[in-house]
Amino acid sequence: MATIGKQIADFFSGGSTTDNDEGLRSLFINELKGVYYAEKALVDNMPNMADAATTDQVRQAFQLHLEETRNQVTRLERVFQSINEEPDTMTCNAIDGLADDADNVISLTDSGSLTRDAALIIAGQKVEHHEIAAYGSLHALAQLLGYTEAAQLIEQTLQEEKNTDKKLTQLAETFVNERAKSEGNNDSTYSSPNRRNYYDDDDLLNTNVGSTSGSQSGYASGANYQSGSASGTSTTYGSDTTTGNSGTLGYSTGSGREGSSGNATSGGTLGV
């Protein structure tokens, strides 16, 4: 039998349809085994990334995607079944390397720093980009081979990976990168013995990032975050007219009052 490379070449040059289908099916199955291996490896590795995170937002992003990844493993098993194949793995060197990179950024960054969160987001997005490429290719092959059910299942996961990549980008651009920069400049306004308590905004993990009670909540550089003290900054955060949920910033100009955990009230209380 011709090599897979030759069969793919024959496919695009109008060669034997039978050989093309056989070769593409073999390629599809091998790629499917590789991404199945990758997802199972991520289920093992992602808890380490979540535990290493400094802020609640980044930690919860990894925790949420961990649950999503478990569902993706199950979905891949359905893809195998849809083409009458037993679920099996094939070593994916790419994901092994990316997992090693994630372990490295944890060891090379300071615990409790925003720099670590920035590094974890980068590591996470490298994984997402690999998966987007893998699932995109699998989707194209499934369509070529007429695997309608497999293509639909793969498309679901592909969209989930794209959404996760966008959420990580939003986390980085919304507050992590800028604050990590200030942290690197020894800006004391960002210092705290436990930063997680000062960056708690679950809305960043939702699809409509930054929205609270129908109003837009934004993050900008230059805000004063100091443990145990009031801060009267001129920068406005979030809405000053509604009561927010746990972690919602309702901080208005010149207020300078601290709110209790989970009770950001109207008038500009900082409830984190």
Side-chain angles (χ1 to χ4, degrees):
M1 186 178 72
T3 64
I4 290 178
K6 185 178 186 304
Q7 291 165 23
I8 295 174
D10 287 342
F11 175 84
F12 289 108
S13 63
S16 169
T17 300
T18 301
D19 283 349
N20 288 337
D21 286 351
E22 182 182 355
L24 286 176
R25 177 180 169 85
S26 295
L27 177 62
F28 178 78
I29 292 172
N30 287 338
E31 291 296 315
L32 192 60
K33 289 179 179 179
V35 78
Y36 186 50
Y37 172 96
E39 295 291 20
K40 294 180 78 171
L42 289 172
V43 168
D44 293 334
N45 183 259
M46 212 174 301
N48 296 333
M49 299 176 72
D51 289 343
T54 296
T55 61
D56 282 340
Q57 294 98 316
V58 174
R59 176 171 51 84
Q60 291 171 11
F62 284 119
Q63 289 174 337
L64 288 173
H65 192 52
L66 173 60
E67 293 306 310
E68 198 170 55
T69 301
R70 290 193 176 107
N71 292 332
Q72 290 169 354
V73 169
T74 302
R75 191 178 295 140
L76 283 171
E77 292 167 353
R78 291 173 58 194
V79 173
F80 277 107
Q81 293 167 4
S82 75
I83 61 171
N84 298 317
E85 289 287 331
E86 287 295 322
D88 196 8
T89 61
M90 177 179 288
T91 301
C92 176
N93 294 325
I95 208 67
D96 285 341
L98 291 171
D100 288 342
D101 282 350
D103 290 339
N104 286 338
V105 301
I106 293 172
S107 64
L108 294 174
T109 53
D110 293 334
S111 176
S113 68
L114 270 297
T115 299
R116 171 170 288 183
D117 272 10
L120 285 170
I121 288 174
I122 292 171
Q125 288 196 288
K126 287 179 181 179
V127 171
E128 293 309 311
H129 292 181
H130 168 77
E131 291 186 305
I132 289 168
Y135 281 111
S137 299
L138 278 171
H139 185 258
L141 288 172
Q143 288 183 313
L144 277 174
L145 291 164
Y147 297 156
T148 303
E149 182 180 355
Q152 291 173 345
L153 292 167
I154 291 166
E155 173 68 15
Q156 290 180 43
T157 300
L158 178 60
Q159 291 305 316
E160 288 174 355
E161 304 297 3
K162 289 180 178 180
N163 289 337
T164 297
D165 181 50
K166 289 178 181 178
K167 289 176 183 178
L168 290 174
T169 296
Q170 289 168 337
L171 279 173
E173 292 180 348
T174 302
F175 77 106
V176 171
N177 287 350
E178 194 65 33
R179 295 180 186 180
K181 178 182 177 182
S182 297
E183 177 181 73
N185 292 332
N186 296 319
D187 186 344
S188 62
T189 61
Y190 289 92
S191 63
S192 166
N194 184 3
R195 285 187 176 86
R196 278 184 178 160
N197 294 338
Y198 295 84
Y199 304 105
D200 187 12
D201 184 359
D202 292 342
D203 289 326
L204 278 175
L205 301 178
N206 297 330
T207 302
N208 297 322
V209 174
S211 63
T212 58
S213 302
S215 62
Q216 191 70 19
S217 174
Y219 286 85
S221 61
N224 292 328
Y225 282 80
Q226 292 180 321
S227 174
S229 63
S231 56
T233 176
S234 61
T235 303
T236 300
Y237 284 79
S239 170
D240 59 358
T241 60
T242 61
T243 299
N245 294 325
S246 175
T248 301
L249 295 179
Y251 190 29
S252 64
T253 305
S255 169
R257 291 191 296 119
E258 292 186 8
S260 60
S261 175
N263 292 306
T265 58
S266 60
T269 301
L270 177 61
V272 293

